[in-house]
Amino acid sequence: MASGVAAWLPFARAAAIGWMPVANMPMPIAPTEKNKRADELIVLNVSGRRFETWRNTLDRYPDTLLGSSEKEFFYNEETKEYFFDRDADVFRAVLNFYRTGKLHYPRSECITSYDEELSFFGIIPEIIGDCCYEEYKDRRRENQERLMDDDEDKKDAKLPNMTFRETMWRAFENPHTSTMALVFYYVTGFFIAISVLTNVVETVPCGATPNTKEVTCGDRYTVAFFCMDTACVLIFTVEYLMRLFAAPSRYRFMRSVMSIIDVVAILPYYIGLVMTDNEDVSGAFVTLRVFRVFRIFKFSRHSQGLRILGYTLKSCASELGFLLFSLTMAIIIFATVMFYAEKGSTSSKFTSIPASFWYTIVTMTTLGYGDMVPKTIAGKIFGSICSLSGVLVIALPVPVIVSNFSRIYHQNQRADKRRAQKMQKARLARIRISKTGSSNAFLHSKRNGLFSEALELTQLPYKMNLSDQSSIEEEQHLSKNQSLLESQHHHLLHCLEKTTNHEFADELCYEQSYLEGALQSYPSQSPSLSSQEGMTGTCCTRHTKRNHAPLPNSSILTCALSHTHPHHNLQELSTIHIQPLNTSRSSLNMRVDEPARLNCQSGTITTAIISIPTPPATTPESDAHPPPPGPALQNVVKVSAL
Amino acid sequence: MGALMVIFSLQKDQRRKRTDSVEDELELSAVRHRPEGLEQLEALTRFNRKELQILYRGFKNECPSGVVNEDTFKDIYSQFFPQGDASTYAHFLFNAFDTDKDGSVSFEDFVMGLSILLRGSVQEKLNWAFNLYDINKDGYITKEEMLDIMKAIYDMMGKCTYPLLKDDTPRQHVEIFFQKMDKNKDGVVTMDEFIDCCQNDENIMRSMQLFDNVI
């Protein structure tokens, strides 16, 4: 039952009078409050700050510390109040949860202290309201990342027996782990810088003798530059080969971006070595030297920022594509217009539409070189329109890219988001479970038989609580396990059952009776019922913790939870924790008697065992067995107290 | 270009402020209801002061604005029946409580309805039940009306029942009901037939007293 509406339970019970004329059977007795005390104020003293609330308010959530008898441990006889030596500020949020039914996360609190307080008072954080849940999760993640960073530092301690190969790989990936790695890191960085510098200086004209042409340094000191180049390429090659050797998965390494950059950086040199001084290919050879500039990208191993930039560009691909597309459109339009506008003028530079492209691009990006200018009036008009619209078209996608970059930089990457989505599903599942735990609680209390024994006394007049001792004992026994609120709610549900002459069942019995109805393999109902009685009793005493039930057939699950829940949530639920089913007959039969041993007395245990075999079973023998627990043995072991 | 971006973002804020003010106006005109004083309610109903206090506190806690509209009502009622769909029955209940038919249940409606149900005589309770079943309030319960009510009740059970709910179970139940109640077999049940029949049925009489000590 949603404890937030506990105050409306009297109303719901009163409204049940509407069912009475329709019912054909007598109603069960109402549970009575043995010592009906007027609602009293209780004082909660938290570190000196006194909070007062009605007792009923706290009773709304009987599975928390304040709502159960656990708070009696904190009762102070002299001052007649409950004393908690905890943080009073966080307690405000806790107490408001009882009052309003919504748990909020106060942003000024530290996330770990908040978590501790929640676990002290027995409240699961998943029920934090949607208004505060995002913030809570973000802070939680930050905290965990911080912890993980600390852990990573600790983790870098060398594992005892790492192979030489693994050591090398670790040295390459984390330069700060050992001195050798650090030396290697700096040496390669130095040589990358040297190589880039060499490429640049090579083209600088240096020192011409008076009567000859200017020569570039590269041509002047050819040998020196060649030696430099060779040295760099040697170093890079050695580095590449070492990385290739140390990589745990060579194929994956070879496909990675960094290795491609490495290869592209050193390949031109080798190609140049191989090729002779052939006239035809020297042109191509020169082109190849351009690729040497890619060595600068090798710096991205050394710089985190470069990597983030690269990642941003990659992820903004769609926005960049849009920018490009809209620019292209605009360029084509304006180039065409300008071409036709300038067609008339003499000695116009706008010789063709592609030639006008250059003008359009230069104008739209507000560069305005001035090498091509319109001369006709129409051309000038359209030229000005072109430059104005250029500003707009470029300004539009840029903020999107900028915001993308900041989003990526500050927030989680895609993998983390996927993890968060899974958490969200798990959280919703947990909330749903705790909510539907109520319906299970009702079935559970029924099957326990305590309730049905009280039913035997329906013959007596209802106002008999004073006269009949045994029923009082029953109710006392009952209320030992349930709060009054729960028992009243269960009585209400029981009245509904009597009205409609049907009983609530969990999805197991539903499935069973569904199968029975479908197969119709019984001559009469009674023998099957009697043979199944014991089984039914056991099958329904078992709670099914939904997220453990490895049901392959989601249609079965649809009736399990209240069918006001959308179907697809259940699908997700089952996919989170599905275990592969092994439906071998022998193992199914083996586990039949196991659940009977489960302790069904405590109202809070949930166990997970059920698996329903896919029904090809048409023989009566197989139907006689209740859907036995699946041999997903790992699940069986987990018994958790909610 | 930076100036463009700033201008753009400013425009967005302006637009948001305009929509906010519209929403604010709506909120102000939303119904906030304050009930009659305790004395008047004490006179109108059969609850004493303390009981009224407890009732009001619970009522106001769930509906801070002081009135319950139908959606909230359905929401609240559905939480008591997690396995089924209680919204249809809640709709009928809402109509039964909303005596002045203004689309919302105020605290007076609420407490007067409860007063009949919990402190009224058996006659009054049966009266109330008849009004609940008589959907169009014409003084007769027809089979169709009863079928609607019955389906709504069975909907609250949900799908997972034992034995399985068949499609014509509500209809059969209606037949049984009419057999019992409709004395002159004219296809409708009038108030007198209803009350007569219920007063002669021991089970019903006993179950009417069931919830007397709820508050």
Side-chain angles (χ1 to χ4, degrees), chain B residues 129-150:
Chain B
F130 186 86
N131 269 323
L132 174 68
Y133 301 149
D134 185 12
I135 299 179
N136 55 2
K137 312 282 181 255
D138 61 353
Y140 301 104
I141 305 179
T142 62
K143 276 202 181 159
E144 285 74 28
E145 290 174 338
M146 203 58 219
L147 187 59
D148 284 338
I149 300 267
M150 202 62 77

PDB file of all heavy atoms in Angstrom, chain B residues 129-150:
ATOM      1  N   ALA B 129     -25.843   3.357  -0.936  1.00  0.00           N
ATOM      2  CA  ALA B 129     -25.420   2.320  -1.883  1.00  0.00           C
ATOM      3  C   ALA B 129     -26.289   2.358  -3.124  1.00  0.00           C
ATOM      4  O   ALA B 129     -25.814   2.218  -4.252  1.00  0.00           O
ATOM      5  CB  ALA B 129     -25.486   0.948  -1.214  1.00  0.00           C
ATOM      6  N   PHE B 130     -27.576   2.558  -2.912  1.00  0.00           N
ATOM      7  CA  PHE B 130     -28.475   2.627  -4.071  1.00  0.00           C
ATOM      8  C   PHE B 130     -28.065   3.767  -4.985  1.00  0.00           C
ATOM      9  O   PHE B 130     -28.050   3.627  -6.210  1.00  0.00           O
ATOM     10  CB  PHE B 130     -29.915   2.801  -3.584  1.00  0.00           C
ATOM     11  CG  PHE B 130     -30.909   2.742  -4.700  1.00  0.00           C
ATOM     12  CD1 PHE B 130     -31.397   1.517  -5.134  1.00  0.00           C
ATOM     13  CD2 PHE B 130     -31.354   3.898  -5.335  1.00  0.00           C
ATOM     14  CE1 PHE B 130     -32.308   1.450  -6.167  1.00  0.00           C
ATOM     15  CE2 PHE B 130     -32.260   3.825  -6.371  1.00  0.00           C
ATOM     16  CZ  PHE B 130     -32.744   2.603  -6.794  1.00  0.00           C
ATOM     17  N   ASN B 131     -27.734   4.897  -4.369  1.00  0.00           N
ATOM     18  CA  ASN B 131     -27.315   6.034  -5.188  1.00  0.00           C
ATOM     19  C   ASN B 131     -26.035   5.752  -5.941  1.00  0.00           C
ATOM     20  O   ASN B 131     -25.815   6.244  -7.042  1.00  0.00           O
ATOM     21  CB  ASN B 131     -27.121   7.269  -4.302  1.00  0.00           C
ATOM     22  CG  ASN B 131     -28.393   8.059  -4.222  1.00  0.00           C
ATOM     23  OD1 ASN B 131     -29.118   8.165  -5.208  1.00  0.00           O
ATOM     24  ND2 ASN B 131     -28.683   8.584  -3.045  1.00  0.00           N
ATOM     25  N   LEU B 132     -25.195   4.973  -5.307  1.00  0.00           N
ATOM     26  CA  LEU B 132     -23.948   4.620  -5.994  1.00  0.00           C
ATOM     27  C   LEU B 132     -24.242   3.773  -7.232  1.00  0.00           C
ATOM     28  O   LEU B 132     -23.698   3.994  -8.311  1.00  0.00           O
ATOM     29  CB  LEU B 132     -23.042   3.845  -5.035  1.00  0.00           C
ATOM     30  CG  LEU B 132     -21.752   3.284  -5.643  1.00  0.00           C
ATOM     31  CD1 LEU B 132     -20.822   4.400  -6.011  1.00  0.00           C
ATOM     32  CD2 LEU B 132     -21.079   2.347  -4.644  1.00  0.00           C
ATOM     33  N   TYR B 133     -25.186   2.813  -7.079  1.00  0.00           N
ATOM     34  CA  TYR B 133     -25.451   1.932  -8.209  1.00  0.00           C
ATOM     35  C   TYR B 133     -26.239   2.632  -9.289  1.00  0.00           C
ATOM     36  O   TYR B 133     -26.084   2.341 -10.470  1.00  0.00           O
ATOM     37  CB  TYR B 133     -26.226   0.693  -7.754  1.00  0.00           C
ATOM     38  CG  TYR B 133     -25.499  -0.128  -6.708  1.00  0.00           C
ATOM     39  CD1 TYR B 133     -26.215  -0.834  -5.750  1.00  0.00           C
ATOM     40  CD2 TYR B 133     -24.129  -0.203  -6.681  1.00  0.00           C
ATOM     41  CE1 TYR B 133     -25.565  -1.584  -4.801  1.00  0.00           C
ATOM     42  CE2 TYR B 133     -23.469  -0.949  -5.725  1.00  0.00           C
ATOM     43  CZ  TYR B 133     -24.198  -1.637  -4.791  1.00  0.00           C
ATOM     44  OH  TYR B 133     -23.567  -2.387  -3.847  1.00  0.00           O
ATOM     45  N   ASP B 134     -27.077   3.555  -8.893  1.00  0.00           N
ATOM     46  CA  ASP B 134     -27.928   4.229  -9.858  1.00  0.00           C
ATOM     47  C   ASP B 134     -27.127   5.312 -10.542  1.00  0.00           C
ATOM     48  O   ASP B 134     -27.075   6.451 -10.101  1.00  0.00           O
ATOM     49  CB  ASP B 134     -29.146   4.812  -9.130  1.00  0.00           C
ATOM     50  CG  ASP B 134     -30.125   5.418 -10.109  1.00  0.00           C
ATOM     51  OD1 ASP B 134     -29.977   5.177 -11.333  1.00  0.00           O
ATOM     52  OD2 ASP B 134     -31.021   6.133  -9.648  1.00  0.00           O
ATOM     53  N   ILE B 135     -26.512   4.955 -11.647  1.00  0.00           N
ATOM     54  CA  ILE B 135     -25.521   5.853 -12.245  1.00  0.00           C
ATOM     55  C   ILE B 135     -26.175   7.128 -12.760  1.00  0.00           C
ATOM     56  O   ILE B 135     -25.650   8.220 -12.589  1.00  0.00           O
ATOM     57  CB  ILE B 135     -24.785   5.128 -13.380  1.00  0.00           C
ATOM     58  CG1 ILE B 135     -24.057   3.902 -12.819  1.00  0.00           C
ATOM     59  CG2 ILE B 135     -23.786   6.051 -14.040  1.00  0.00           C
ATOM     60  CD1 ILE B 135     -23.332   3.108 -13.854  1.00  0.00           C
ATOM     61  N   ASN B 136     -27.328   7.019 -13.379  1.00  0.00           N
ATOM     62  CA  ASN B 136     -27.918   8.231 -13.938  1.00  0.00           C
ATOM     63  C   ASN B 136     -28.939   8.868 -12.995  1.00  0.00           C
ATOM     64  O   ASN B 136     -29.626   9.803 -13.359  1.00  0.00           O
ATOM     65  CB  ASN B 136     -28.577   7.940 -15.295  1.00  0.00           C
ATOM     66  CG  ASN B 136     -29.576   6.814 -15.165  1.00  0.00           C
ATOM     67  OD1 ASN B 136     -29.811   6.286 -14.078  1.00  0.00           O
ATOM     68  ND2 ASN B 136     -30.180   6.437 -16.286  1.00  0.00           N
ATOM     69  N   LYS B 137     -28.988   8.357 -11.763  1.00  0.00           N
ATOM     70  CA  LYS B 137     -29.789   8.973 -10.709  1.00  0.00           C
ATOM     71  C   LYS B 137     -31.249   9.154 -11.118  1.00  0.00           C
ATOM     72  O   LYS B 137     -31.855  10.190 -10.864  1.00  0.00           O
ATOM     73  CB  LYS B 137     -29.203  10.348 -10.320  1.00  0.00           C
ATOM     74  CG  LYS B 137     -27.718  10.336 -10.072  1.00  0.00           C
ATOM     75  CD  LYS B 137     -27.370   9.755  -8.695  1.00  0.00           C
ATOM     76  CE  LYS B 137     -25.866   9.774  -8.464  1.00  0.00           C
ATOM     77  NZ  LYS B 137     -25.218   8.493  -8.578  1.00  0.00           N
ATOM     78  N   ASP B 138     -31.790   8.121 -11.753  1.00  0.00           N
ATOM     79  CA  ASP B 138     -33.195   8.255 -12.125  1.00  0.00           C
ATOM     80  C   ASP B 138     -34.099   7.462 -11.202  1.00  0.00           C
ATOM     81  O   ASP B 138     -35.302   7.374 -11.420  1.00  0.00           O
ATOM     82  CB  ASP B 138     -33.396   7.782 -13.579  1.00  0.00           C
ATOM     83  CG  ASP B 138     -33.028   6.312 -13.750  1.00  0.00           C
ATOM     84  OD1 ASP B 138     -32.495   5.717 -12.785  1.00  0.00           O
ATOM     85  OD2 ASP B 138     -33.262   5.766 -14.839  1.00  0.00           O
ATOM     86  N   GLY B 139     -33.527   6.887 -10.158  1.00  0.00           N
ATOM     87  CA  GLY B 139     -34.358   6.173  -9.198  1.00  0.00           C
ATOM     88  C   GLY B 139     -34.490   4.694  -9.493  1.00  0.00           C
ATOM     89  O   GLY B 139     -35.118   3.971  -8.723  1.00  0.00           O
ATOM     90  N   TYR B 140     -33.926   4.233 -10.603  1.00  0.00           N
ATOM     91  CA  TYR B 140     -34.005   2.813 -10.938  1.00  0.00           C
ATOM     92  C   TYR B 140     -32.616   2.299 -11.252  1.00  0.00           C
ATOM     93  O   TYR B 140     -31.822   2.973 -11.909  1.00  0.00           O
ATOM     94  CB  TYR B 140     -34.878   2.583 -12.185  1.00  0.00           C
ATOM     95  CG  TYR B 140     -36.287   3.069 -12.049  1.00  0.00           C
ATOM     96  CD1 TYR B 140     -36.700   4.232 -12.664  1.00  0.00           C
ATOM     97  CD2 TYR B 140     -37.211   2.354 -11.275  1.00  0.00           C
ATOM     98  CE1 TYR B 140     -37.994   4.674 -12.544  1.00  0.00           C
ATOM     99  CE2 TYR B 140     -38.514   2.793 -11.151  1.00  0.00           C
ATOM    100  CZ  TYR B 140     -38.895   3.961 -11.786  1.00  0.00           C
ATOM    101  OH  TYR B 140     -40.186   4.407 -11.650  1.00  0.00           O
ATOM    102  N   ILE B 141     -32.364   1.100 -10.806  1.00  0.00           N
ATOM    103  CA  ILE B 141     -31.108   0.456 -11.217  1.00  0.00           C
ATOM    104  C   ILE B 141     -31.450  -0.496 -12.351  1.00  0.00           C
ATOM    105  O   ILE B 141     -32.189  -1.457 -12.177  1.00  0.00           O
ATOM    106  CB  ILE B 141     -30.488  -0.358 -10.067  1.00  0.00           C
ATOM    107  CG1 ILE B 141     -30.286   0.507  -8.834  1.00  0.00           C
ATOM    108  CG2 ILE B 141     -29.142  -0.921 -10.504  1.00  0.00           C
ATOM    109  CD1 ILE B 141     -29.689  -0.274  -7.683  1.00  0.00           C
ATOM    110  N   THR B 142     -30.896  -0.222 -13.525  1.00  0.00           N
ATOM    111  CA  THR B 142     -31.123  -1.141 -14.628  1.00  0.00           C
ATOM    112  C   THR B 142     -30.001  -2.165 -14.671  1.00  0.00           C
ATOM    113  O   THR B 142     -28.984  -2.035 -13.992  1.00  0.00           O
ATOM    114  CB  THR B 142     -31.140  -0.387 -15.962  1.00  0.00           C
ATOM    115  OG1 THR B 142     -29.847   0.202 -16.133  1.00  0.00           O
ATOM    116  CG2 THR B 142     -32.187   0.688 -15.958  1.00  0.00           C
ATOM    117  N   LYS B 143     -30.218  -3.158 -15.540  1.00  0.00           N
ATOM    118  CA  LYS B 143     -29.194  -4.205 -15.613  1.00  0.00           C
ATOM    119  C   LYS B 143     -27.887  -3.659 -16.167  1.00  0.00           C
ATOM    120  O   LYS B 143     -26.808  -4.067 -15.769  1.00  0.00           O
ATOM    121  CB  LYS B 143     -29.699  -5.351 -16.499  1.00  0.00           C
ATOM    122  CG  LYS B 143     -30.566  -6.319 -15.762  1.00  0.00           C
ATOM    123  CD  LYS B 143     -30.632  -7.688 -16.428  1.00  0.00           C
ATOM    124  CE  LYS B 143     -31.562  -8.565 -15.593  1.00  0.00           C
ATOM    125  NZ  LYS B 143     -32.109  -9.694 -16.306  1.00  0.00           N
ATOM    126  N   GLU B 144     -28.001  -2.703 -17.085  1.00  0.00           N
ATOM    127  CA  GLU B 144     -26.781  -2.155 -17.676  1.00  0.00           C
ATOM    128  C   GLU B 144     -25.965  -1.418 -16.620  1.00  0.00           C
ATOM    129  O   GLU B 144     -24.753  -1.541 -16.543  1.00  0.00           O
ATOM    130  CB  GLU B 144     -27.115  -1.199 -18.826  1.00  0.00           C
ATOM    131  CG  GLU B 144     -27.570  -1.876 -20.102  1.00  0.00           C
ATOM    132  CD  GLU B 144     -28.970  -2.404 -19.961  1.00  0.00           C
ATOM    133  OE1 GLU B 144     -29.746  -1.818 -19.167  1.00  0.00           O
ATOM    134  OE2 GLU B 144     -29.301  -3.404 -20.606  1.00  0.00           O
ATOM    135  N   GLU B 145     -26.686  -0.602 -15.805  1.00  0.00           N
ATOM    136  CA  GLU B 145     -25.971   0.132 -14.770  1.00  0.00           C
ATOM    137  C   GLU B 145     -25.284  -0.835 -13.824  1.00  0.00           C
ATOM    138  O   GLU B 145     -24.118  -0.666 -13.452  1.00  0.00           O
ATOM    139  CB  GLU B 145     -26.955   1.007 -13.971  1.00  0.00           C
ATOM    140  CG  GLU B 145     -27.494   2.176 -14.771  1.00  0.00           C
ATOM    141  CD  GLU B 145     -28.576   2.926 -13.999  1.00  0.00           C
ATOM    142  OE1 GLU B 145     -29.187   2.330 -13.087  1.00  0.00           O
ATOM    143  OE2 GLU B 145     -28.808   4.097 -14.323  1.00  0.00           O
ATOM    144  N   MET B 146     -26.041  -1.874 -13.450  1.00  0.00           N
ATOM    145  CA  MET B 146     -25.475  -2.833 -12.513  1.00  0.00           C
ATOM    146  C   MET B 146     -24.290  -3.544 -13.136  1.00  0.00           C
ATOM    147  O   MET B 146     -23.299  -3.835 -12.456  1.00  0.00           O
ATOM    148  CB  MET B 146     -26.548  -3.854 -12.121  1.00  0.00           C
ATOM    149  CG  MET B 146     -26.278  -4.516 -10.816  1.00  0.00           C
ATOM    150  SD  MET B 146     -26.143  -3.271  -9.546  1.00  0.00           S
ATOM    151  CE  MET B 146     -24.823  -3.920  -8.599  1.00  0.00           C
ATOM    152  N   LEU B 147     -24.403  -3.803 -14.447  1.00  0.00           N
ATOM    153  CA  LEU B 147     -23.286  -4.469 -15.100  1.00  0.00           C
ATOM    154  C   LEU B 147     -22.038  -3.598 -15.095  1.00  0.00           C
ATOM    155  O   LEU B 147     -20.928  -4.073 -14.873  1.00  0.00           O
ATOM    156  CB  LEU B 147     -23.676  -4.817 -16.541  1.00  0.00           C
ATOM    157  CG  LEU B 147     -22.679  -5.675 -17.305  1.00  0.00           C
ATOM    158  CD1 LEU B 147     -22.477  -6.986 -16.575  1.00  0.00           C
ATOM    159  CD2 LEU B 147     -23.162  -5.928 -18.719  1.00  0.00           C
ATOM    160  N   ASP B 148     -22.236  -2.287 -15.320  1.00  0.00           N
ATOM    161  CA  ASP B 148     -21.082  -1.386 -15.274  1.00  0.00           C
ATOM    162  C   ASP B 148     -20.417  -1.428 -13.907  1.00  0.00           C
ATOM    163  O   ASP B 148     -19.192  -1.525 -13.783  1.00  0.00           O
ATOM    164  CB  ASP B 148     -21.534   0.048 -15.577  1.00  0.00           C
ATOM    165  CG  ASP B 148     -21.808   0.250 -17.052  1.00  0.00           C
ATOM    166  OD1 ASP B 148     -21.257  -0.549 -17.848  1.00  0.00           O
ATOM    167  OD2 ASP B 148     -22.558   1.174 -17.397  1.00  0.00           O
ATOM    168  N   ILE B 149     -21.250  -1.318 -12.890  1.00  0.00           N
ATOM    169  CA  ILE B 149     -20.710  -1.327 -11.527  1.00  0.00           C
ATOM    170  C   ILE B 149     -19.981  -2.637 -11.267  1.00  0.00           C
ATOM    171  O   ILE B 149     -18.876  -2.666 -10.715  1.00  0.00           O
ATOM    172  CB  ILE B 149     -21.833  -1.141 -10.497  1.00  0.00           C
ATOM    173  CG1 ILE B 149     -22.551   0.160 -10.710  1.00  0.00           C
ATOM    174  CG2 ILE B 149     -21.310  -1.270  -9.094  1.00  0.00           C
ATOM    175  CD1 ILE B 149     -22.023   1.304  -9.919  1.00  0.00           C
ATOM    176  N   MET B 150     -20.606  -3.728 -11.691  1.00  0.00           N
ATOM    177  CA  MET B 150     -20.023  -5.040 -11.416  1.00  0.00           C
ATOM    178  C   MET B 150     -18.689  -5.181 -12.116  1.00  0.00           C
ATOM    179  O   MET B 150     -17.719  -5.673 -11.536  1.00  0.00           O
ATOM    180  CB  MET B 150     -20.989  -6.124 -11.893  1.00  0.00           C
ATOM    181  CG  MET B 150     -20.773  -7.431 -11.225  1.00  0.00           C
ATOM    182  SD  MET B 150     -21.027  -7.341  -9.467  1.00  0.00           S
ATOM    183  CE  MET B 150     -22.802  -7.336  -9.405  1.00  0.00           C
TER     184      MET B 150
END
